[in-house]
Amino acid sequence: MPSYRLHYFPESGNSYKLALMLRFCGQHFEPIWTDFAGGVTRSAEWRANVNTMGEIPVLEEDGVKLTQTAPILMKLAEKHGKFGGDTAAEKYEVLRWLFWDNHKLTGYMASYRFMRSFTPKPNPHVLTYFRRRLDDFLGILEKRVVSSAFVAGAGFTVADISMMAYLHFPADETGYDFAITHPGIHAWLDRIASLPGWQSAYDLLPGQRMVHYAKDGPPLHA
């Protein structure tokens, strides 16, 4: 059985993607909490010894450091024979949505949530811009998961793991109450949460949490 060590911080949706994938694949990992808020990933030492790209997460597999979440998800899917699609057409569909998510949904939601919830004085104009883009992308996902049980088709795949990670965080962090704004996404998130072995990020990834400034901040958008 391979040995895994995951460098992460609890608020990182990308870290959660890998942790959840490993859990669904029946794999254990050693959690390595990383002081992202303290700037560790921006240090010369981190970039020299852990990840030259200066990013979290980093997954060590039998001592080999792997970076960039999407290709790691695909590697794990292939290695463990789960959630990567069975046919060539299914594999293409998984990749299609995985690339879309990385470029559109995850990229903007991660930035919007971080600025909204974990920045003491977020720029309202930037938040408005991010929000406008997110509303568009969430509308695309809403239509998809209303017509399909899971993103890439009838079966659960790493495309679902990739897209749901940042959306499953509490509404006071994301700024969205999906039960009201996007009921299709809300139902899809519930379908994923009902899968055997599912855990939320804050249950799966322990460690010191960042200061959450939005708890008493701007109201949720409905």
Side-chain angles (χ1 to χ4, degrees):
M1 180 174 289
S3 171
Y4 292 109
R5 303 174 80 232
L6 180 63
H7 301 257
Y8 74 95
F9 63 101
E11 292 82 4
S12 166
N14 285 322
S15 298
Y16 175 52
K17 295 174 189 183
L18 299 184
L20 187 62
M21 178 61 174
L22 289 169
R23 183 170 175 81
F24 279 153
C25 289
Q27 301 298 307
H28 298 285
F29 63 90
E30 179 184 351
I32 310 296
W33 178 82
T34 305
D35 189 8
F36 177 83
V40 168
T41 60
R42 296 187 292 276
S43 70
E45 181 181 2
W46 169 272
R47 296 182 179 192
N49 299 318
V50 184
N51 185 358
T52 58
M53 294 178 176
E55 295 178 334
I56 282 289
V58 174
L59 181 66
E60 295 186 44
E61 182 185 66
D62 296 328
V64 177
K65 294 183 176 69
L66 305 174
T67 65
Q68 292 300 313
T69 307
I72 297 174
L73 286 173
M74 294 303 298
K75 186 178 191 300
L76 292 172
E78 182 177 2
K79 185 178 185 71
H80 298 290
K82 295 184 177 183
F83 315 127
D86 296 324
T87 67
E90 289 172 352
K91 291 178 187 295
Y92 173 81
E93 193 69 359
V94 169
L95 280 176
R96 189 169 76 98
W97 284 104
L98 198 60
F99 276 57
W100 180 84
D101 173 58
N102 279 233
H103 182 58
K104 304 283 189 176
L105 185 59
T106 276
Y108 276 88
M109 177 54 87
S111 299
Y112 176 74
R113 170 175 163 264
F114 185 85
M115 179 173 283
R116 180 185 185 276
S117 296
F118 303 113
T119 303
K121 295 181 180 180
N123 185 316
H125 301 293
V126 175
L127 286 179
T128 297
Y129 172 76
F130 283 164
R131 184 80 187 197
R132 189 179 302 120
R133 297 289 284 163
L134 273 172
D135 287 344
D136 183 24
F137 304 146
L138 288 167
I140 292 170
L141 178 59
E142 175 77 5
K143 290 181 180 178
R144 179 64 178 177
V145 295
V146 165
S147 63
S148 178
F150 296 103
V151 169
F156 176 76
T157 69
V158 292
D160 296 284
I161 292 177
S162 187
M163 288 194 199
M164 64 76 60
Y166 278 95
L167 304 186
H168 100 291
F169 284 107
D172 65 357
E173 290 182 15
T174 65
Y176 285 90
D177 184 345
F178 291 121
I180 297 173
T181 62
H182 300 83
I185 291 176
H186 180 72
W188 166 72
L189 290 172
D190 280 348
R191 286 195 290 277
I192 296 172
S194 70
L195 295 173
W198 182 89
Q199 277 189 299
S200 71
Y202 292 147
D203 289 329
L204 191 54
L205 297 174
Q208 181 178 329
R209 300 275 296 278
M210 296 193 300
V211 177
H212 182 187
Y213 295 97
K215 284 184 177 179
D216 300 313
L220 292 177
H221 296 265

